[in-house]
Amino acid sequence: MTATQPVRGAGIEPEPAGEPLDVPPTAKARTSGGGLSLRRLPYLAVLLLASVLFLYPFLWLISASLKPRTEVFDNSLLPRVWRWANYSDVWSYAPVLQWVTNSVVVALTAAVTVTISSALVAFGFAYFRFPLRNLLFGLVLATMMLPGAATMIPVYLIWHRIGLTGTQVPLWAQNLFGSAFYIFLLRQFFLSLPREYFEAARVDGCSFFGLFWRIALPLSRPALVVVLVFEIQASWTDLLRPLIYLQDPNLFTLPRGLKAVIDTFGNGGEQHWEIIMAASLIATVPLIVLFAFAQRHIMNGIASQGRKG
């Protein structure tokens, strides 16, 4: 009860529901809307400034992709001449549609395989009790400290011995063994699920795989979406592995294709940076669309992980 509420009778009585409080309009503004807004103004200003700083490179990329070649680096945010033909030139100079298709196939395959394999391993660590469980889980987490460069050559020699270099298989098949970070993320989520659900299912005759497929996975949808989106983003922007394993332009993913475009139009001969900027924007837009559609699930998944420690 506020100081402006009337006090009736000898004691303090609760204010009836729906009765308007006798609070002056100016006091309401200070205590609710106006005062809070004034206190938040510095934070809003900082957030606005940070947003501008983060958005400026993307706005510059959009602007540069619409400029003529001679004006790409003139530091003006608005093109003097809007050259929409840069985008049609990209499709005519390089098989961008083929590269986009390859990236979609590789990213989706990599994301689905790593999500299922990581969830299987994480469920095993979360549900079953067996000797040395914590030690084995610690070893899995320790692999996150191993730099990728340390395993690059041995892994390449394995794929070369199998005869799969020069194909897209090494870009996603490594995910069949799971990822230490995703295993840790999903195990924490599985541990938060009520164990009574699994025990009741076991009484009804459900198999161990049924516990994983019919109970654990449906209840862990936010965490699975987070893993799926993170892996799609990682595979979509991966340049190193396509550079190592792919030589045929028809098999290039989009980052590898952009590298070929830069080699063709950037470093040697006539430099068409407007083509490179347009191609870079084409590669960026799908990730923005993906995040826009999956934003709610990503926030829910991350928030639930934070609440559950």
Side-chain angles (χ1 to χ4, degrees), residues 1 35 48 56 64 95 110 144 153 214 220 227-228 244 271 273:
M1 185 172 63
L48 183 62
Y56 181 78
M144 288 195 294
I153 295 177
R214 297 179 180 177
S220 308
V227 172
L228 201 68
I244 295 173
Q271 296 180 345
W273 286 104

Side-chain angles (χ1 to χ4, degrees), residues 189-190 193-194 197-198 214-224 308:
F189 200 94
F190 290 149
L193 298 178
Y197 292 173
F198 300 100
R214 297 179 180 177
I215 299 178
L217 286 190
L219 292 177
S220 308
R221 190 174 303 166
L224 296 176
K308 292 157 187 167

